[in-house]
């Protein structure tokens, strides 16, 4: 539970999450995916000790529930935020990217991303219609090529 984390840590986490969620659309505008993922790895581990995964995910969902920007890329916004803050709390999350199988023959790919921690999906379940194309595990992940260029995240 979040009660195990000191009040100051929880307050700082919520304030920084709120601010970062508001700045994220401007920070990632027209940036390639490898730059977005490098930014998600930028914070030191252990910045928010003892915050549970469920608390972090709940706060990310609450903070992003009414998006003014990035409405059509909600999963990307939530995924980047959850990945960054779970990493900062000391967890080893994975950011999974997939493409909807039915969109392959079409002119526009429909992509989705979701967050996995401890082997379980914690944010934005992928469902059975997605073909997994990349898993970002943080600093140790392989470089991303241009495979997702032009994809629509929702």
């Amino acid at each position: 539970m979040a009660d195990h984390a000191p009040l100051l840590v929880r307050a700082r986490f919520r304030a920084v999450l709120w601010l970062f969620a508001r700045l994220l659309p401007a920070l990632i505008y027209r940036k390639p995916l490898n730059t977005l993922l490098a930014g998600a790895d930028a914070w030191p581990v252990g910045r928010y000790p003892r915050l549970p995964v469920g608390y972090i995910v709940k706060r990310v969902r609450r903070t992003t529930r009414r998006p003014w920007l990035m409405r059509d890329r909600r999963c990307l916004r939530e995924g980047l935020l959850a990945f960054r803050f779970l990493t900062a709390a000391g967890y080893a999350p994975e950011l999974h990217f997939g493409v909807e199988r039915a969109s392959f023959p079409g002119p526009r790919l429909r992509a989705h991303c979701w967050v996995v921690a401890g082997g379980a999906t914690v944010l934005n379940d992928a469902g059975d219609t997605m073909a997994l194309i990349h898993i970002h595990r943080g600093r140790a992940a392989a470089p991303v090529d241009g495979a997702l260029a032009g994809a629509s995240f929702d």
Side-chain angles (χ1 to χ4, degrees):
M1 295 187 86
D3 297 334
H4 298 335
L7 180 62
L8 185 58
V9 171
R10 286 184 282 145
R12 182 178 65 188
F13 164 75
R14 290 173 68 173
V16 173
L17 173 63
W18 183 89
L19 180 64
F20 195 71
R22 297 318 177 266
L23 295 175
L24 187 64
L27 293 173
I28 70 171
Y29 183 70
R30 295 189 179 225
K31 299 268 188 332
L33 185 62
N34 58 345
T35 303
L36 302 183
L37 296 178
D41 294 332
W43 285 0
V45 173
R47 188 173 179 139
Y48 303 107
R50 300 191 321 213
L51 285 180
V53 171
Y55 178 79
I56 294 170
V57 169
K58 175 182 156 187
R59 300 313 297 170
V60 166
R61 282 187 179 140
R62 176 168 271 184
T63 302
T64 60
R65 69 179 168 218
R66 292 186 197 103
W68 295 337
L69 301 171
M70 293 183 67
R71 289 176 195 256
D72 59 337
R73 296 178 291 165
R74 185 177 198 142
C75 69
L76 179 62
R77 182 180 190 197
E78 290 177 349
L80 289 171
L81 288 169
F83 182 87
R84 185 170 191 152
F85 284 94
L86 286 168
T87 301
Y91 298 102
E94 297 176 342
L95 191 56
H96 290 229
F97 293 89
V99 176
E100 192 173 292
R101 288 182 180 98
S103 71
F104 282 146
R108 184 173 177 190
L109 291 177
R110 295 198 39 90
H112 181 61
C113 70
W114 59 99
V115 179
V116 174
T121 302
V122 295
L123 184 68
N124 297 331
D125 190 22
D128 296 332
T129 63
M130 292 291 157
L132 181 64
I133 59 171
H134 181 71
I135 300 174
H136 179 70
R137 291 184 177 93
R139 292 173 179 91
V144 177
D145 55 18
L148 291 180
S152 165
F153 289 92
D154 18 288

